Amino acid sequence: MSVFFSPEFTMLSSVLENSIQQLLDSQMSDGSWKDCFDTGCMPDAQTAISLYLLDWKDWQWIEVLLTRIRKAQRLDGSWGVYPGDHGDLSTTVECYYALQIYNAWGESEDQKRLAQQFIQKRGGLRKCRNLTKIFLALGGEIPWSWLPSPRFYLPLFFKYSPIDIEDLVTFTRLHVPPMLILSSLQYVACPSGNFFLKELLTDRQKRTVLRTTMYHSVNWLKNAAFRRCVTWMDEEQEADGTLGGYHSSSFLWVFAKLALGYPRDHPDVERILSAIRQSLYQDIEDDFYHQQTCDAHIWNTALAMQALGSCGILTNSMTLRKAAQYLLAKQHRIPDRLMKNKGKQLGGWAFSSNNTCHPDVDDTVASLEALAPLADECAEAWWQGIDWLLSMQNRDGGWSAFEKDCNQFWLDWLPANDMKRAMIDPSTPDITGRVVEFLVNHKILSCWDARVRKAIYWLRNHQEADGSWFGRWGTTYIYGTWCAVKALVVVGIPSDDESLRKAKGWLLSIQMEDGSFGESCQSDLCGKYVELSFGLPTQTAWALDTLLYLYQLEVEPRIRQRLWLAAWRAARWLLKQGEKGRWHEEIPTGSGFPGALHIRYHIYPKVWPLIALNHFQKCFESVKRAPMKGGEQSVRPQTFEYVP
């Protein structure tokens, strides 16, 4: 049976229409999309713990967090950071602690016992990550001496130190100062003085846990570097009191304020907690609740606009105009206090709606791409964004997510660092590829521009030996390869180029028998591609889009045929999985910190399959219309047989 008569492809148009309508229906009244930014149970547990330690009795908020924690516990008693990870010690300890302090196990005593066994088998509380141990020390469950000495980080605030707090990547530097204050003052916030985790300690460890009240070390408070740390934190606060919109750093800053002598009923405390509560995601219909580490409204909105724009939704539609107004209102106007010595300019966008001081490259590219159809109408904002984007190119030719030339790799070896990719922000293939594709595709720079050539040189030099590229912010090699290949194609790299030849071979080799693509979060930990046993809509969409870019560039008929068949199989799988234009996936396809934080963007199955299938439909129609030249070998898909 010819592919033109394959049952799945007869419903391609209707699937696209349904998917478009689903996206339109989920737009909020302010023009944004507010789909969940899901990082698992870790932020739910940290929030529940923090509210207890602050004696904040918002039971409606607390109960939904505890409900989600209970539902997420696995049969072996553990909690994990992604499905199939065999459990994570720190996340399990945090979830266990949250249920313990509220006595919220219910009738799940067996599950409680299993959790205890899992924690003890993995090494106990002392083996947890530092962020987890900070929450335990705040509750008085472990001594502060179990954490790295604050003296490791104090030089970041020395006046003439060779390293500075600005040398760290944004999300880490917003956590370090409150951690420094808390560990320096050894603050304990527990309101009741109860032990909740004593059954997880050995007898020797119990003797070392000294219950202390807050005290101020005169030497620390008189220290000029310490005072600079406090001043720096005050300057970094957003209007709503949070630090970059991140809930974990904001909670730590609340505790740091209390350690510095603020009363618990201080207006700043209530302001920060109110802002954090705004990031509680609630889907009453599906009975799903999650304390987001921050919201993803800007990223979501930019992607939704791109998806709708790619499908021909006109720029004068009310939907896109409201979304554009939302994005334009969120463009950064960086205060003068943050301009000094940071090399930052006006014009970028951040990830979350309440982050007004820390723009990032990925969200700026996404927002500019979304606003491209309206570039003439918002020319000032458009060119400000582009100027900021160009200013962020690193000396090596690539682009990073948050910082410029933040690549002092030795910082990863600081004793207090216990998470991968938490200290610096080097150039990455996914960010570099996305920037180059945007700049060249919209004719902002030509493919011969020195900045583009330098970026392409960097990309080609950072291809993996197997032909893939690493993706820092998506999982992992499928994502990075998608971003890099699009950039190489757009700048006109020929199809027989060695980089593209290797990329084609790798991508074709990892396609599953059913046509899908699926990559495990384990890839991020192993530093090499690890296949799932099943496909994911988001990753299949990325791979399909990549195949189509390669197909459109290819000139050799045999390879062109093979690329088309692979794309056809991927598109067929997507259509089978989303008959009504709806796709769902439980596996995270976003990366935060490998093995510690993996991200499931709830909007991804709404936008990426839609974009890829719309691209496929355009190629499909052009293939059907393609005339045959005399003596030429056919590359049209009628030559392929339909396999159910």
Side-chain angles (χ1 to χ4, degrees), residues 357-517:
C357 300
H358 303 95
D360 68 84
V361 171
D362 217 1
D363 285 282
T364 299
V365 171
S367 297
L368 289 170
E369 187 72 55
L371 292 169
L374 300 168
D376 292 339
E377 297 180 27
C378 56
E380 182 180 358
W382 168 261
W383 287 108
Q384 279 186 349
I386 289 169
D387 287 343
W388 184 84
L389 189 64
L390 292 172
S391 76
M392 293 297 289
Q393 187 172 20
N394 293 325
R395 284 191 292 266
D396 62 12
W399 272 266
S400 313
F402 291 92
E403 316 293 343
K404 181 176 181 178
D405 296 320
C406 178
N407 56 4
Q408 300 185 59
F409 288 94
W410 63 269
L411 289 171
D412 282 334
W413 296 96
L414 284 176
N417 178 36
D418 61 355
M419 290 198 301
K420 287 186 177 181
R421 304 177 200 142
M423 302 301 288
I424 58 175
D425 190 26
S427 298
T428 63
D430 49 328
I431 303 293
T432 302
R434 285 169 59 80
V435 173
V436 169
E437 182 207 358
F438 167 76
L439 293 173
V440 175
N441 199 34
H442 291 283
K443 297 180 173 57
I444 296 158
L445 297 179
S446 78
C447 59
W448 297 108
D449 187 279
R451 289 163 289 187
V452 172
R453 294 174 67 183
K454 191 173 182 181
I456 292 298
Y457 179 80
W458 185 92
L459 266 180
R460 288 160 67 100
N461 281 343
H462 284 80
Q463 188 175 21
E464 302 292 323
D466 62 6
S468 67
W469 278 269
F470 165 73
R472 166 65 178 89
W473 299 101
T475 309
T476 297
Y477 293 95
I478 293 176
Y479 181 73
T481 302
W482 172 60
C483 296
V485 164
K486 289 198 296 179
L488 295 180
V489 170
V490 165
V491 300
I493 299 296
S495 63
D496 60 352
D497 177 82
E498 179 70 8
S499 292
L500 290 181
R501 186 188 65 78
K502 290 172 65 178
K504 282 179 276 194
W506 179 79
L507 195 60
L508 291 168
S509 73
I510 66 167
Q511 187 172 26
M512 299 183 185
E513 289 187 8
D514 62 3
S516 68
F517 292 79

Side-chain angles (χ1 to χ4, degrees), residues 496-629:
D496 60 352
D497 177 82
E498 179 70 8
S499 292
L500 290 181
R501 186 188 65 78
K502 290 172 65 178
K504 282 179 276 194
W506 179 79
L507 195 60
L508 291 168
S509 73
I510 66 167
Q511 187 172 26
M512 299 183 185
E513 289 187 8
D514 62 3
S516 68
F517 292 79
E519 182 175 2
S520 170
C521 297
Q522 193 71 18
S523 288
D524 228 359
L525 288 162
C526 296
K528 63 179 182 179
Y529 174 76
V530 178
E531 185 179 67
L532 280 174
S533 59
F534 51 88
L536 295 177
T538 292
Q539 292 173 342
T540 301
W542 292 336
L544 170 58
D545 205 36
T546 311
L547 289 166
L548 292 172
Y549 271 90
L550 292 168
Y551 162 78
Q552 289 175 292
L553 180 71
E554 187 59 56
V555 295
E556 206 283 308
R558 183 181 59 82
I559 300 175
R560 188 172 163 89
Q561 254 188 3
R562 193 176 173 196
L563 290 168
W564 177 256
L565 178 58
W568 171 75
R569 292 172 61 219
R572 185 184 65 170
W573 184 87
L574 281 173
L575 290 170
K576 281 183 176 181
Q577 297 296 315
E579 291 186 7
K580 296 183 179 179
R582 293 178 179 271
W583 293 268
H584 181 75
E585 58 195 13
E586 293 291 338
I587 304 293
T589 52
S591 178
F593 307 109
L597 190 146
H598 296 263
I599 306 162
R600 183 162 75 93
Y601 292 93
H602 288 208
I603 202 169
Y604 274 17
K606 293 182 182 179
V607 295
W608 298 126
L610 176 58
I611 289 172
L613 285 174
N614 181 67
H615 189 184
F616 176 80
Q617 186 181 49
K618 292 175 182 177
C619 291
F620 192 66
E621 293 300 322
S622 67
V623 167
K624 287 196 294 184
R625 293 193 301 267
M628 295 293 294
K629 297 178 182 179

Side-chain angles (χ1 to χ4, degrees), residues 42-327:
M42 178 195 68
D44 301 311
Q46 290 178 0
T47 302
I49 293 166
S50 298
L51 294 178
Y52 175 83
L53 297 178
L54 293 167
D55 201 21
W56 193 264
K57 294 181 172 60
D58 186 337
W59 298 114
Q60 186 178 7
W61 185 6
I62 295 166
E63 181 54 40
V64 296
L65 299 176
L66 297 176
T67 299
R68 199 220 172 172
I69 292 170
R70 282 193 298 266
K71 287 182 177 179
Q73 190 179 18
R74 299 174 179 176
L75 293 177
D76 66 354
S78 71
W79 284 264
V81 293
Y82 61 87
D85 68 350
H86 305 299
D88 177 67
L89 173 61
S90 292
T91 304
T92 300
V93 167
E94 291 175 7
C95 291
Y96 181 92
Y97 189 24
L99 295 178
Q100 275 289 90
I101 58 181
Y102 290 103
N103 191 24
W105 288 98
E107 299 179 359
S108 304
E109 284 297 319
D110 288 342
Q111 288 301 102
K112 176 181 175 179
R113 187 167 57 256
L114 286 171
Q116 292 174 1
Q117 293 171 359
F118 178 87
I119 293 168
Q120 290 163 343
K121 185 177 179 181
R122 290 295 184 94
L125 304 184
R126 196 148 197 172
K127 294 291 186 179
C128 290
R129 290 186 288 271
N130 288 331
L131 184 58
T132 299
K133 286 194 281 193
I134 286 174
F135 284 101
L136 299 183
L138 283 168
E141 302 292 340
I142 64 171
W144 279 101
S145 61
W146 285 15
L147 282 131
S149 169
R151 288 179 173 81
F152 286 124
Y153 281 126
L154 196 62
L156 295 170
F157 293 95
F158 287 166
K159 195 169 184 178
Y160 300 108
S161 173
I163 59 171
D164 186 81
I165 186 66
E166 298 296 335
D167 292 330
L168 305 183
V169 65
T170 299
F171 45 77
T172 296
R173 71 170 177 260
L174 291 176
H175 285 77
V176 166
M179 291 163 59
L180 172 61
I181 293 169
L182 291 167
S183 58
S184 298
L185 300 177
Q186 299 192 6
Y187 177 67
V188 175
C190 184
S192 66
N194 294 325
F195 279 103
F196 293 101
L197 302 180
K198 58 185 178 182
E199 66 277 4
L200 300 177
L201 299 171
T202 65
D203 290 339
R204 183 178 179 181
Q205 288 173 338
K206 288 175 186 176
R207 289 193 294 270
T208 66
V209 177
L210 301 176
R211 307 296 296 201
T212 62
T213 58
M214 182 193 71
Y215 75 94
H216 295 287
S217 169
V218 175
N219 290 334
W220 279 112
L221 289 176
K222 286 186 176 180
N223 187 295
F226 192 85
R227 292 199 304 273
R228 277 194 290 271
C229 170
V230 175
T231 301
W232 188 88
M233 290 303 299
D234 281 330
E235 291 178 348
E236 287 290 323
Q237 278 191 266
E238 299 285 350
D240 62 5
T242 63
L243 298 175
Y246 301 119
H247 97 281
S248 52
S249 59
S250 300
F251 270 128
L252 294 181
W253 184 223
V254 169
F255 289 116
K257 283 178 175 288
L258 298 182
L260 292 168
Y262 283 64
R264 287 177 182 265
D265 59 353
H266 192 279
D268 267 9
V269 175
E270 183 174 353
R271 185 163 58 112
I272 294 172
L273 293 180
S274 297
I276 292 173
R277 201 187 197 291
Q278 293 299 312
S279 292
L280 175 66
Y281 182 84
Q282 303 181 70
D283 186 339
I284 298 173
E285 184 177 335
D286 290 340
D287 192 28
F288 176 81
Y289 302 88
H290 177 52
Q291 182 64 55
Q292 302 172 108
T293 55
C294 60
D295 70 57
H297 299 347
I298 294 173
W299 179 246
N300 288 341
T301 303
L303 296 186
M305 285 182 69
Q306 288 180 46
L308 293 171
S310 72
C311 294
I313 303 298
L314 300 177
T315 57
N316 60 1
S317 73
M318 183 58 69
T319 295
L320 289 189
R321 289 203 167 271
K322 284 175 64 179
Q325 290 169 5
Y326 178 85
L327 285 183

